[in-house]
Amino acid sequence: MQEVACRCMQHSKFKIMGSVTWDWSLFEWLNFDGPEWLDMVMTKISGIAIWTPLYLLIIYMVWRRYSWRGLLAFAVAIGVAVGLADIVSGIFKHQGILADLLPSFPARPRPMHTVDGLEFFANGYYTGNKFGTVSGHSATIVAIALLSASVIKRRWFTIVMVGVATMVCYSRIYLACHFPQDILLGVMVGLLSGLCGVWLFYLLQRSFEKKK
């Protein structure tokens, strides 16, 4: 397979604007030149289409537990949670509808766009978006996981969602899209967004119950 790598000066001698280097060693340990089949798997995991059956399962389980009113409340709540996670993470990468909110913020380049001082393998993946300060993938999947698990309330489902979120987060490191710190910040944004979604869901549920 094609190897995309960069080997230059020592970490301690190189600093990039708006970035830190404490997690470079951890990134290099987690990011490696994998076989082609693993590249394909991680690319799929990082995408959307592969999770369609899971999203359909979530819709079914919410409908079965709360009926169509609950499903409507969940749809609104998940839309707000995911939208909030995506918008907030985008602010710190100068992307999305609020890209210009903090124009002077020193966004952190993605590993694949870090020019010097880092060894990385993109494993056949490329994105033109240069900054990865806060992982939007991590933020959105964690928001979805927290909200759906809180609403469905099944232990096995919660375990599945934790596993899914972990795989998506790791795929972003494997594909050299994010550093570990980016993932951590994304998880934090996702947790806060997910909690907002949980609050909104139960608020709407109570509102629907009063109208019965």
Side-chain angles (χ1 to χ4, degrees):
M1 62 170 292
Q2 182 178 4
E3 175 183 314
V4 181
C6 175
R7 299 178 180 86
C8 298
M9 60 188 74
Q10 295 297 321
H11 296 178
S12 60
K13 296 180 180 179
F14 181 73
K15 293 183 180 180
I16 51 180
M17 184 170 130
S19 180
V20 293
T21 59
W22 71 267
D23 57 348
W24 280 17
S25 295
L26 179 58
F27 168 81
E28 291 178 342
W29 182 69
L30 293 171
N31 172 262
F32 61 94
D33 185 15
E36 291 186 6
W37 67 266
L38 187 57
D39 297 349
M40 181 181 66
V41 169
M42 287 298 172
T43 300
K44 294 292 185 182
I45 288 175
S46 190
I48 298 176
I50 194 174
W51 303 116
T52 300
L54 175 62
Y55 297 147
L56 293 176
L57 175 63
I58 292 173
I59 292 172
Y60 169 73
M61 294 183 70
V62 172
W63 170 79
R64 184 176 179 180
R65 185 178 180 91
Y66 298 96
S67 77
W68 71 268
R69 289 177 183 268
L71 183 58
L72 176 60
F74 181 79
V76 174
I78 199 73
V80 170
V82 170
L84 184 60
D86 184 64
I87 291 172
V88 172
S89 60
I91 290 173
F92 302 100
K93 298 183 290 187
H94 305 303
Q95 297 174 17
I97 60 175
L98 296 181
D100 299 324
L101 183 62
L102 300 175
S104 61
F105 181 82
R108 187 182 194 186
R110 298 179 185 273
M112 67 171 63
H113 292 299
T114 299
V115 180
D116 295 314
L118 179 72
E119 178 179 329
F120 70 86
F121 300 95
N123 292 303
Y125 189 85
Y126 179 79
T127 175
N129 297 324
K130 294 183 178 181
F131 301 116
T133 317
V134 179
S135 171
H137 280 71
S138 300
T140 53
I141 192 60
V142 168
I144 292 171
L146 177 59
L147 175 55
S148 59
S150 298
V151 170
I152 293 173
K153 298 179 180 179
R154 292 289 186 271
R155 183 178 180 183
W156 67 266
F157 179 79
T158 299
I159 294 173
V160 168
M161 292 309 297
V162 169
V164 169
T166 300
M167 286 190 292
V168 171
C169 289
Y170 174 69
S171 73
R172 305 305 289 169
I173 294 177
Y174 180 86
L175 298 173
C177 291
H178 290 287
F179 290 100
Q181 177 177 282
D182 307 341
I183 300 298
L184 179 60
L185 293 174
V187 169
M188 293 172 64
V189 170
L191 289 174
L192 293 175
S193 301
L195 287 173
C196 290
V198 172
W199 172 81
L200 180 58
F201 172 78
Y202 286 109
L203 178 67
L204 293 173
Q205 272 289 89
R206 289 193 295 270
S207 176
F208 290 154
E209 288 294 328
K210 291 180 180 178
K211 293 180 180 180
K212 282 187 177 180

